[in-house]
Amino acid sequence: MILRYSRPEMVAIWSPETKFKIWYEIEAHACEAMANLGVIPRENADAVWKAKDVDFDVARIDEIEAVTKHDVIAFLTHLAEHVGSEEARFVHQGMTSSDVLDTCLNVQLVRAADILLDGMDKLLAALKKRALEHKDTVRVGRSHGIHAEPTTMGLTFARFYAEMDRNKQRLQNARAEVATGAISGAVGTFANIDPRVEEHVCEQLGLSPEPISTQVIPRDRHAMFFATLGVIASSIENVAVEIRHMQRTEVLEGAEFFSMGQKGSSAMPHKKNPVLTENLTGLARLVRMAVIPAMENVALWHERDISHSSVERGIGPDATVTLDFALNRLAGVIDKMLVFPQNMLDNMNKFPGLVMSQRVLLALTQAGVSREDAYSMVQRNALKVWEDRVDFRELLLADADVVAALGEQAINEKFDMDYHTKHVDTIFARVFGA
């Protein structure tokens, strides 16, 4: 994790203190369930809860691990220092380390998902607000980066809203899929622990019992989780790239907010650079770095190896912390983003009337002209607009073939801007509801 791109709430989920607290809760709830089943004495299970308010000493656990070379054993040894060796002798009974590690990881991922979902709600709210604000703000649509036909800035925001709303649903599904726990013992057969212990622990931690584990929870669940984070990151980049293009000097249809005292360049005082959205493009790459390793973690030897472990220690915090930061940064960018409607019109009119070419083409075909001839008639005039920046409508009115097919009044009617925005309300209703 890089502190520059981190927010405290998400970072706290991955702290050693939080991890050991979850480990403790898993062990304590397991003892409680075993006592309920009569497997261990009630007084021993109750004794474990004496540590419920303990702040586990990370340095002490590290000191023990330096000798044991085993993190879970080091933790259990430290727990016994608080509970008492005799009282703690039934802790971890019938369990294996992965029961603790995997169940803990999934608790952390669920908590991380909840924070990410909150960030997505903030972003969706910002996108919806700006979409409604600019529903009728006309700008030119571009394909291949070239002027195509008119659209609106509101539709651009609405498109990103719909994409992020799909991502929210994906994340909700990924959260549900990864919200499982396993307290099934070595190789997952429950040979030394009752399945009801697993059910109790999972219920207490807000998880569902893993239907079948080996010695680990199946990693296809985690692969889908991190793949979903990668898709969300790609959508963040999609929005960021659009804003970066809009802020280019020769376009300047929109821009990041530039605060008082902000400096754009150490060399050139005139610069206003899209640094936040450039940063978001880079952060998206960092999140996507987790996807392939998560997928490679799916294939483990037999009932388990630990090739996945070191990977997840890195990608768990890195991907969630980075995506959390990116979602909140993008929400702020959208909320404060500057939009320049006049520049949008000026850009569209750099080639006067040219964006109406398809409407004229269709009118000619409807008037009885073959598509090939109609295309040729429109293109020969359109190319003059490209070359000489003359008015497309005036060229058409001076073209005897076009006038003969359509008439002057019909040609003029084809330059009504409202034609291109007449279904904006329909699209908004589809995206945001009636």
mmCIF file of all heavy atoms in Angstrom, residues 47-89:
data_model
loop_
_atom_site.group_PDB
_atom_site.id
_atom_site.type_symbol
_atom_site.label_atom_id
_atom_site.label_comp_id
_atom_site.label_asym_id
_atom_site.label_seq_id
_atom_site.Cartn_x
_atom_site.Cartn_y
_atom_site.Cartn_z
ATOM 1 N N ALA A 47 -13.354 -18.980 29.325
ATOM 2 C CA ALA A 47 -12.058 -18.363 29.637
ATOM 3 C C ALA A 47 -11.461 -17.662 28.426
ATOM 4 O O ALA A 47 -10.788 -16.627 28.553
ATOM 5 C CB ALA A 47 -11.089 -19.425 30.165
ATOM 6 N N VAL A 48 -11.724 -18.202 27.252
ATOM 7 C CA VAL A 48 -11.175 -17.584 26.035
ATOM 8 C C VAL A 48 -11.731 -16.178 25.851
ATOM 9 O O VAL A 48 -11.032 -15.275 25.377
ATOM 10 C CB VAL A 48 -11.482 -18.461 24.799
ATOM 11 C CG1 VAL A 48 -10.992 -17.784 23.526
ATOM 12 C CG2 VAL A 48 -10.835 -19.828 24.946
ATOM 13 N N TRP A 49 -12.990 -15.980 26.257
ATOM 14 C CA TRP A 49 -13.602 -14.659 26.090
ATOM 15 C C TRP A 49 -13.002 -13.614 27.031
ATOM 16 O O TRP A 49 -13.299 -12.418 26.897
ATOM 17 C CB TRP A 49 -15.107 -14.750 26.295
ATOM 18 C CG TRP A 49 -15.814 -15.411 25.137
ATOM 19 C CD1 TRP A 49 -16.440 -16.619 25.128
ATOM 20 C CD2 TRP A 49 -15.940 -14.886 23.810
ATOM 21 N NE1 TRP A 49 -16.958 -16.894 23.886
ATOM 22 C CE2 TRP A 49 -16.669 -15.845 23.045
ATOM 23 C CE3 TRP A 49 -15.515 -13.717 23.180
ATOM 24 C CZ2 TRP A 49 -16.964 -15.668 21.694
ATOM 25 C CZ3 TRP A 49 -15.814 -13.531 21.837
ATOM 26 C CH2 TRP A 49 -16.528 -14.494 21.113
ATOM 27 N N LYS A 50 -12.162 -14.030 27.982
ATOM 28 C CA LYS A 50 -11.483 -13.046 28.829
ATOM 29 C C LYS A 50 -10.612 -12.101 28.003
ATOM 30 O O LYS A 50 -10.290 -10.998 28.443
ATOM 31 C CB LYS A 50 -10.610 -13.755 29.871
ATOM 32 C CG LYS A 50 -11.372 -14.531 30.931
ATOM 33 C CD LYS A 50 -10.473 -14.984 32.060
ATOM 34 C CE LYS A 50 -9.317 -15.842 31.604
ATOM 35 N NZ LYS A 50 -8.480 -16.340 32.738
ATOM 36 N N ALA A 51 -10.242 -12.555 26.812
ATOM 37 C CA ALA A 51 -9.351 -11.750 25.962
ATOM 38 C C ALA A 51 -10.122 -10.863 24.977
ATOM 39 O O ALA A 51 -9.518 -10.271 24.088
ATOM 40 C CB ALA A 51 -8.402 -12.660 25.198
ATOM 41 N N LYS A 52 -11.446 -10.747 25.140
ATOM 42 C CA LYS A 52 -12.238 -10.036 24.113
ATOM 43 C C LYS A 52 -11.883 -8.560 24.003
ATOM 44 O O LYS A 52 -12.090 -7.951 22.954
ATOM 45 C CB LYS A 52 -13.735 -10.200 24.382
ATOM 46 C CG LYS A 52 -14.270 -9.586 25.644
ATOM 47 C CD LYS A 52 -15.750 -9.923 25.802
ATOM 48 C CE LYS A 52 -16.322 -9.378 27.097
ATOM 49 N NZ LYS A 52 -16.382 -7.912 27.115
ATOM 50 N N ASP A 53 -11.347 -7.971 25.050
ATOM 51 C CA ASP A 53 -10.984 -6.548 24.987
ATOM 52 C C ASP A 53 -9.472 -6.336 24.891
ATOM 53 O O ASP A 53 -8.990 -5.207 25.016
ATOM 54 C CB ASP A 53 -11.524 -5.819 26.218
ATOM 55 C CG ASP A 53 -13.052 -5.825 26.263
ATOM 56 O OD1 ASP A 53 -13.668 -5.679 25.182
ATOM 57 O OD2 ASP A 53 -13.605 -5.991 27.356
ATOM 58 N N VAL A 54 -8.756 -7.406 24.646
ATOM 59 C CA VAL A 54 -7.296 -7.321 24.589
ATOM 60 C C VAL A 54 -6.852 -6.703 23.260
ATOM 61 O O VAL A 54 -7.393 -7.025 22.199
ATOM 62 C CB VAL A 54 -6.663 -8.727 24.740
ATOM 63 C CG1 VAL A 54 -5.185 -8.708 24.354
ATOM 64 C CG2 VAL A 54 -6.845 -9.217 26.162
ATOM 65 N N ASP A 55 -5.890 -5.801 23.324
ATOM 66 C CA ASP A 55 -5.206 -5.323 22.123
ATOM 67 C C ASP A 55 -3.964 -6.203 21.947
ATOM 68 O O ASP A 55 -2.981 -6.056 22.676
ATOM 69 C CB ASP A 55 -4.805 -3.858 22.274
ATOM 70 C CG ASP A 55 -6.008 -2.929 22.308
ATOM 71 O OD1 ASP A 55 -6.994 -3.222 21.610
ATOM 72 O OD2 ASP A 55 -5.964 -1.926 23.046
ATOM 73 N N PHE A 56 -4.048 -7.118 21.013
ATOM 74 C CA PHE A 56 -2.965 -8.079 20.873
ATOM 75 C C PHE A 56 -1.670 -7.381 20.475
ATOM 76 O O PHE A 56 -1.669 -6.466 19.649
ATOM 77 C CB PHE A 56 -3.350 -9.163 19.869
ATOM 78 C CG PHE A 56 -4.498 -9.999 20.331
ATOM 79 C CD1 PHE A 56 -5.770 -9.835 19.795
ATOM 80 C CD2 PHE A 56 -4.328 -10.947 21.327
ATOM 81 C CE1 PHE A 56 -6.834 -10.593 20.227
ATOM 82 C CE2 PHE A 56 -5.392 -11.715 21.777
ATOM 83 C CZ PHE A 56 -6.652 -11.534 21.228
ATOM 84 N N ASP A 57 -0.589 -7.815 21.072
ATOM 85 C CA ASP A 57 0.729 -7.198 20.900
ATOM 86 C C ASP A 57 1.373 -7.740 19.628
ATOM 87 O O ASP A 57 1.885 -8.870 19.609
ATOM 88 C CB ASP A 57 1.590 -7.507 22.133
ATOM 89 C CG ASP A 57 2.903 -6.746 22.134
ATOM 90 O OD1 ASP A 57 3.355 -6.321 21.044
ATOM 91 O OD2 ASP A 57 3.485 -6.588 23.219
ATOM 92 N N VAL A 58 1.357 -6.927 18.587
ATOM 93 C CA VAL A 58 1.885 -7.365 17.298
ATOM 94 C C VAL A 58 3.373 -7.682 17.400
ATOM 95 O O VAL A 58 3.853 -8.683 16.849
ATOM 96 C CB VAL A 58 1.624 -6.295 16.214
ATOM 97 C CG1 VAL A 58 2.265 -6.714 14.887
ATOM 98 C CG2 VAL A 58 0.132 -6.055 16.039
ATOM 99 N N ALA A 59 4.095 -6.843 18.115
ATOM 100 C CA ALA A 59 5.541 -7.070 18.262
ATOM 101 C C ALA A 59 5.812 -8.388 18.982
ATOM 102 O O ALA A 59 6.748 -9.121 18.631
ATOM 103 C CB ALA A 59 6.181 -5.909 19.021
ATOM 104 N N ARG A 60 4.990 -8.695 20.000
ATOM 105 C CA ARG A 60 5.174 -9.953 20.739
ATOM 106 C C ARG A 60 4.873 -11.155 19.835
ATOM 107 O O ARG A 60 5.610 -12.152 19.866
ATOM 108 C CB ARG A 60 4.260 -9.968 21.967
ATOM 109 C CG ARG A 60 4.233 -11.288 22.741
ATOM 110 C CD ARG A 60 5.599 -11.672 23.249
ATOM 111 N NE ARG A 60 5.520 -12.954 23.976
ATOM 112 C CZ ARG A 60 6.512 -13.814 24.074
ATOM 113 N NH1 ARG A 60 7.685 -13.551 23.483
ATOM 114 N NH2 ARG A 60 6.369 -14.938 24.753
ATOM 115 N N ILE A 61 3.843 -11.061 19.041
ATOM 116 C CA ILE A 61 3.515 -12.160 18.128
ATOM 117 C C ILE A 61 4.641 -12.346 17.113
ATOM 118 O O ILE A 61 5.034 -13.471 16.797
ATOM 119 C CB ILE A 61 2.171 -11.887 17.433
ATOM 120 C CG1 ILE A 61 1.040 -11.874 18.464
ATOM 121 C CG2 ILE A 61 1.886 -12.928 16.348
ATOM 122 C CD1 ILE A 61 -0.291 -11.397 17.927
ATOM 123 N N ASP A 62 5.177 -11.248 16.612
ATOM 124 C CA ASP A 62 6.297 -11.340 15.673
ATOM 125 C C ASP A 62 7.515 -11.986 16.338
ATOM 126 O O ASP A 62 8.252 -12.761 15.700
ATOM 127 C CB ASP A 62 6.674 -9.945 15.165
ATOM 128 C CG ASP A 62 5.635 -9.372 14.213
ATOM 129 O OD1 ASP A 62 4.799 -10.145 13.701
ATOM 130 O OD2 ASP A 62 5.651 -8.144 13.987
ATOM 131 N N GLU A 63 7.714 -11.664 17.605
ATOM 132 C CA GLU A 63 8.840 -12.244 18.348
ATOM 133 C C GLU A 63 8.686 -13.757 18.464
ATOM 134 O O GLU A 63 9.657 -14.512 18.274
ATOM 135 C CB GLU A 63 8.892 -11.607 19.738
ATOM 136 C CG GLU A 63 10.006 -12.138 20.627
ATOM 137 C CD GLU A 63 9.943 -11.564 22.037
ATOM 138 O OE1 GLU A 63 9.013 -10.783 22.330
ATOM 139 O OE2 GLU A 63 10.819 -11.919 22.854
ATOM 140 N N ILE A 64 7.481 -14.211 18.754
ATOM 141 C CA ILE A 64 7.236 -15.650 18.864
ATOM 142 C C ILE A 64 7.380 -16.318 17.501
ATOM 143 O O ILE A 64 7.968 -17.403 17.375
ATOM 144 C CB ILE A 64 5.830 -15.911 19.446
ATOM 145 C CG1 ILE A 64 5.705 -15.319 20.851
ATOM 146 C CG2 ILE A 64 5.524 -17.407 19.479
ATOM 147 C CD1 ILE A 64 4.297 -15.302 21.393
ATOM 148 N N GLU A 65 6.854 -15.650 16.456
ATOM 149 C CA GLU A 65 6.927 -16.223 15.110
ATOM 150 C C GLU A 65 8.366 -16.360 14.635
ATOM 151 O O GLU A 65 8.687 -17.259 13.836
ATOM 152 C CB GLU A 65 6.115 -15.381 14.120
ATOM 153 C CG GLU A 65 6.031 -16.020 12.746
ATOM 154 C CD GLU A 65 5.267 -15.183 11.729
ATOM 155 O OE1 GLU A 65 4.669 -14.160 12.114
ATOM 156 O OE2 GLU A 65 5.295 -15.555 10.535
ATOM 157 N N ALA A 66 9.241 -15.475 15.109
ATOM 158 C CA ALA A 66 10.649 -15.580 14.725
ATOM 159 C C ALA A 66 11.237 -16.921 15.152
ATOM 160 O O ALA A 66 12.186 -17.424 14.535
ATOM 161 C CB ALA A 66 11.442 -14.431 15.351
ATOM 162 N N VAL A 67 10.651 -17.524 16.195
ATOM 163 C CA VAL A 67 11.099 -18.835 16.670
ATOM 164 C C VAL A 67 10.291 -19.950 16.026
ATOM 165 O O VAL A 67 10.842 -20.934 15.511
ATOM 166 C CB VAL A 67 10.987 -18.915 18.206
ATOM 167 C CG1 VAL A 67 11.391 -20.310 18.702
ATOM 168 C CG2 VAL A 67 11.842 -17.846 18.862
ATOM 169 N N THR A 68 8.964 -19.811 16.039
ATOM 170 C CA THR A 68 8.101 -20.893 15.550
ATOM 171 C C THR A 68 8.070 -20.994 14.037
ATOM 172 O O THR A 68 7.753 -22.052 13.482
ATOM 173 C CB THR A 68 6.658 -20.675 16.040
ATOM 174 O OG1 THR A 68 6.128 -19.466 15.457
ATOM 175 C CG2 THR A 68 6.593 -20.584 17.556
ATOM 176 N N LYS A 69 8.350 -19.865 13.371
ATOM 177 C CA LYS A 69 8.244 -19.797 11.904
ATOM 178 C C LYS A 69 6.823 -20.145 11.429
ATOM 179 O O LYS A 69 6.630 -20.647 10.330
ATOM 180 C CB LYS A 69 9.269 -20.739 11.228
ATOM 181 C CG LYS A 69 10.703 -20.506 11.640
ATOM 182 C CD LYS A 69 11.209 -19.133 11.226
ATOM 183 C CE LYS A 69 12.707 -18.981 11.390
ATOM 184 N NZ LYS A 69 13.154 -19.011 12.801
ATOM 185 N N HIS A 70 5.841 -19.828 12.267
ATOM 186 C CA HIS A 70 4.449 -20.151 11.942
ATOM 187 C C HIS A 70 3.570 -19.071 12.569
ATOM 188 O O HIS A 70 3.509 -18.935 13.805
ATOM 189 C CB HIS A 70 4.090 -21.530 12.486
ATOM 190 C CG HIS A 70 2.835 -22.104 11.896
ATOM 191 N ND1 HIS A 70 1.591 -21.591 12.169
ATOM 192 C CD2 HIS A 70 2.632 -23.152 11.052
ATOM 193 C CE1 HIS A 70 0.662 -22.287 11.525
ATOM 194 N NE2 HIS A 70 1.280 -23.246 10.823
ATOM 195 N N ASP A 71 2.867 -18.320 11.727
ATOM 196 C CA ASP A 71 2.135 -17.159 12.232
ATOM 197 C C ASP A 71 0.947 -17.528 13.118
ATOM 198 O O ASP A 71 0.705 -16.895 14.147
ATOM 199 C CB ASP A 71 1.688 -16.260 11.084
ATOM 200 C CG ASP A 71 0.915 -16.987 9.992
ATOM 201 O OD1 ASP A 71 0.799 -18.223 10.055
ATOM 202 O OD2 ASP A 71 0.453 -16.301 9.046
ATOM 203 N N VAL A 72 0.203 -18.562 12.747
ATOM 204 C CA VAL A 72 -0.970 -18.926 13.548
ATOM 205 C C VAL A 72 -0.534 -19.478 14.900
ATOM 206 O O VAL A 72 -1.121 -19.141 15.945
ATOM 207 C CB VAL A 72 -1.861 -19.936 12.789
ATOM 208 C CG1 VAL A 72 -3.007 -20.420 13.689
ATOM 209 C CG2 VAL A 72 -2.437 -19.292 11.524
ATOM 210 N N ILE A 73 0.487 -20.335 14.914
ATOM 211 C CA ILE A 73 0.983 -20.856 16.193
ATOM 212 C C ILE A 73 1.490 -19.713 17.069
ATOM 213 O O ILE A 73 1.265 -19.699 18.294
ATOM 214 C CB ILE A 73 2.086 -21.908 15.962
ATOM 215 C CG1 ILE A 73 1.482 -23.160 15.313
ATOM 216 C CG2 ILE A 73 2.787 -22.270 17.269
ATOM 217 C CD1 ILE A 73 2.507 -24.217 14.935
ATOM 218 N N ALA A 74 2.152 -18.759 16.472
ATOM 219 C CA ALA A 74 2.638 -17.604 17.241
ATOM 220 C C ALA A 74 1.474 -16.855 17.881
ATOM 221 O O ALA A 74 1.535 -16.460 19.052
ATOM 222 C CB ALA A 74 3.435 -16.678 16.335
ATOM 223 N N PHE A 75 0.416 -16.684 17.127
ATOM 224 C CA PHE A 75 -0.759 -15.997 17.677
ATOM 225 C C PHE A 75 -1.381 -16.815 18.808
ATOM 226 O O PHE A 75 -1.744 -16.271 19.864
ATOM 227 C CB PHE A 75 -1.792 -15.755 16.585
ATOM 228 C CG PHE A 75 -3.113 -15.286 17.123
ATOM 229 C CD1 PHE A 75 -3.275 -13.985 17.576
ATOM 230 C CD2 PHE A 75 -4.190 -16.167 17.228
ATOM 231 C CE1 PHE A 75 -4.485 -13.560 18.107
ATOM 232 C CE2 PHE A 75 -5.409 -15.750 17.751
ATOM 233 C CZ PHE A 75 -5.547 -14.441 18.191
ATOM 234 N N LEU A 76 -1.533 -18.114 18.605
ATOM 235 C CA LEU A 76 -2.144 -18.960 19.628
ATOM 236 C C LEU A 76 -1.309 -18.966 20.912
ATOM 237 O O LEU A 76 -1.856 -18.995 22.027
ATOM 238 C CB LEU A 76 -2.316 -20.383 19.099
ATOM 239 C CG LEU A 76 -3.304 -20.539 17.926
ATOM 240 C CD1 LEU A 76 -3.250 -21.972 17.388
ATOM 241 C CD2 LEU A 76 -4.720 -20.180 18.354
ATOM 242 N N THR A 77 -0.004 -18.933 20.759
ATOM 243 C CA THR A 77 0.877 -18.868 21.930
ATOM 244 C C THR A 77 0.659 -17.569 22.689
ATOM 245 O O THR A 77 0.568 -17.549 23.928
ATOM 246 C CB THR A 77 2.353 -18.976 21.489
ATOM 247 O OG1 THR A 77 2.541 -20.212 20.790
ATOM 248 C CG2 THR A 77 3.287 -18.908 22.689
ATOM 249 N N HIS A 78 0.539 -16.474 21.955
ATOM 250 C CA HIS A 78 0.296 -15.168 22.594
ATOM 251 C C HIS A 78 -1.084 -15.135 23.241
ATOM 252 O O HIS A 78 -1.251 -14.572 24.335
ATOM 253 C CB HIS A 78 0.424 -14.074 21.535
ATOM 254 C CG HIS A 78 0.221 -12.687 22.069
ATOM 255 N ND1 HIS A 78 0.937 -12.190 23.135
ATOM 256 C CD2 HIS A 78 -0.628 -11.695 21.680
ATOM 257 C CE1 HIS A 78 0.551 -10.944 23.376
ATOM 258 N NE2 HIS A 78 -0.398 -10.622 22.508
ATOM 259 N N LEU A 79 -2.065 -15.743 22.600
ATOM 260 C CA LEU A 79 -3.415 -15.790 23.176
ATOM 261 C C LEU A 79 -3.391 -16.532 24.508
ATOM 262 O O LEU A 79 -4.032 -16.111 25.494
ATOM 263 C CB LEU A 79 -4.382 -16.468 22.198
ATOM 264 C CG LEU A 79 -5.824 -16.661 22.678
ATOM 265 C CD1 LEU A 79 -6.472 -15.328 23.027
ATOM 266 C CD2 LEU A 79 -6.639 -17.400 21.619
ATOM 267 N N ALA A 80 -2.637 -17.629 24.550
ATOM 268 C CA ALA A 80 -2.528 -18.394 25.799
ATOM 269 C C ALA A 80 -1.869 -17.578 26.899
ATOM 270 O O ALA A 80 -2.146 -17.785 28.095
ATOM 271 C CB ALA A 80 -1.754 -19.686 25.557
ATOM 272 N N GLU A 81 -1.004 -16.637 26.523
ATOM 273 C CA GLU A 81 -0.386 -15.759 27.523
ATOM 274 C C GLU A 81 -1.423 -14.890 28.201
ATOM 275 O O GLU A 81 -1.259 -14.476 29.356
ATOM 276 C CB GLU A 81 0.691 -14.902 26.863
ATOM 277 C CG GLU A 81 1.908 -15.698 26.406
ATOM 278 C CD GLU A 81 2.921 -14.851 25.659
ATOM 279 O OE1 GLU A 81 2.549 -13.742 25.180
ATOM 280 O OE2 GLU A 81 4.083 -15.299 25.525
ATOM 281 N N HIS A 82 -2.500 -14.570 27.499
ATOM 282 C CA HIS A 82 -3.573 -13.754 28.077
ATOM 283 C C HIS A 82 -4.619 -14.609 28.789
ATOM 284 O O HIS A 82 -5.150 -14.218 29.832
ATOM 285 C CB HIS A 82 -4.259 -12.926 26.980
ATOM 286 C CG HIS A 82 -3.431 -11.810 26.463
ATOM 287 N ND1 HIS A 82 -3.257 -10.632 27.142
ATOM 288 C CD2 HIS A 82 -2.705 -11.696 25.311
ATOM 289 C CE1 HIS A 82 -2.475 -9.825 26.443
ATOM 290 N NE2 HIS A 82 -2.120 -10.446 25.327
ATOM 291 N N VAL A 83 -4.933 -15.757 28.212
ATOM 292 C CA VAL A 83 -6.010 -16.595 28.738
ATOM 293 C C VAL A 83 -5.501 -17.550 29.820
ATOM 294 O O VAL A 83 -6.217 -17.864 30.789
ATOM 295 C CB VAL A 83 -6.672 -17.393 27.590
ATOM 296 C CG1 VAL A 83 -7.721 -18.361 28.117
ATOM 297 C CG2 VAL A 83 -7.293 -16.435 26.579
ATOM 298 N N GLY A 84 -4.273 -17.983 29.691
ATOM 299 C CA GLY A 84 -3.711 -19.014 30.564
ATOM 300 C C GLY A 84 -3.560 -20.314 29.800
ATOM 301 O O GLY A 84 -4.459 -20.710 29.050
ATOM 302 N N SER A 85 -2.445 -20.971 29.970
ATOM 303 C CA SER A 85 -2.157 -22.176 29.189
ATOM 304 C C SER A 85 -3.187 -23.269 29.419
ATOM 305 O O SER A 85 -3.637 -23.932 28.479
ATOM 306 C CB SER A 85 -0.756 -22.703 29.542
ATOM 307 O OG SER A 85 0.224 -21.773 29.155
ATOM 308 N N GLU A 86 -3.555 -23.508 30.685
ATOM 309 C CA GLU A 86 -4.530 -24.561 30.980
ATOM 310 C C GLU A 86 -5.900 -24.208 30.411
ATOM 311 O O GLU A 86 -6.572 -25.040 29.787
ATOM 312 C CB GLU A 86 -4.631 -24.781 32.490
ATOM 313 C CG GLU A 86 -5.675 -25.803 32.917
ATOM 314 C CD GLU A 86 -5.437 -27.189 32.327
ATOM 315 O OE1 GLU A 86 -4.267 -27.518 32.036
ATOM 316 O OE2 GLU A 86 -6.415 -27.945 32.155
ATOM 317 N N GLU A 87 -6.307 -22.948 30.588
ATOM 318 C CA GLU A 87 -7.615 -22.524 30.098
ATOM 319 C C GLU A 87 -7.687 -22.553 28.574
ATOM 320 O O GLU A 87 -8.749 -22.797 27.992
ATOM 321 C CB GLU A 87 -7.933 -21.106 30.599
ATOM 322 C CG GLU A 87 -8.176 -21.003 32.089
ATOM 323 C CD GLU A 87 -6.900 -20.814 32.871
ATOM 324 O OE1 GLU A 87 -5.807 -21.040 32.296
ATOM 325 O OE2 GLU A 87 -6.973 -20.453 34.064
ATOM 326 N N ALA A 88 -6.554 -22.312 27.901
ATOM 327 C CA ALA A 88 -6.542 -22.205 26.438
ATOM 328 C C ALA A 88 -6.228 -23.525 25.739
ATOM 329 O O ALA A 88 -6.064 -23.551 24.520
ATOM 330 C CB ALA A 88 -5.520 -21.152 26.001
ATOM 331 N N ARG A 89 -6.201 -24.632 26.479
ATOM 332 C CA ARG A 89 -5.707 -25.865 25.870
ATOM 333 C C ARG A 89 -6.647 -26.435 24.815
ATOM 334 O O ARG A 89 -6.240 -27.267 23.997
ATOM 335 C CB ARG A 89 -5.395 -26.907 26.936
ATOM 336 C CG ARG A 89 -6.564 -27.454 27.694
ATOM 337 C CD ARG A 89 -6.066 -28.250 28.902
ATOM 338 N NE ARG A 89 -7.143 -28.772 29.734
ATOM 339 C CZ ARG A 89 -7.639 -30.006 29.628
ATOM 340 N NH1 ARG A 89 -7.135 -30.836 28.723
ATOM 341 N NH2 ARG A 89 -8.605 -30.400 30.425
#
